[in-house]
Amino acid sequence: MTYSAYLQKIRLEQSLYLLRTASKSVEEIAADVGYHNKGFFISFFKKISDDSLRIPQADTKKMLLTST
């Protein structure tokens, strides 16, 4: 596994954890895991996880992936 692939895996795992447990916006979580462009983070998340950000999101007010 390359360093880049490893870093993406760690970022994805951390973002899933934060989406499930934190009361932060998607933009804040993206920044917390190292993505300073929310759109890029959302695209990455969709591509890698085969899920949308709304699935792990516990709080429905944060389900803003589809309204990018």
Side-chain angles (χ1 to χ4, degrees):
M1 175 181 289
T2 66
Y3 175 76
S4 175
Y6 174 75
L7 184 58
Q8 286 182 342
K9 178 180 179 277
I10 296 300
R11 285 177 169 172
L12 178 65
E13 289 170 356
Q14 185 64 23
S15 63
L16 283 168
Y17 172 77
L18 290 172
L19 285 164
R20 288 185 181 119
T21 62
S23 59
K24 295 182 176 186
S25 70
V26 172
E27 190 169 4
E28 290 172 312
I29 291 171
D32 286 350
V33 298
Y35 292 100
H36 301 288
N37 179 318
K38 181 179 82 170
F40 183 79
F41 170 72
I42 291 170
S43 296
F44 161 75
F45 191 94
K46 282 181 172 181
K47 179 181 171 185
I48 300 297
S49 73
D50 294 329
D51 286 326
S52 68
L53 293 174
R54 64 181 166 74
I55 291 174
Q57 197 74 42
D59 189 352
T60 56
K61 72 178 182 178
K62 291 185 182 178
M63 293 182 191
L64 44 107
L65 176 63
T66 56
S67 63
T68 314

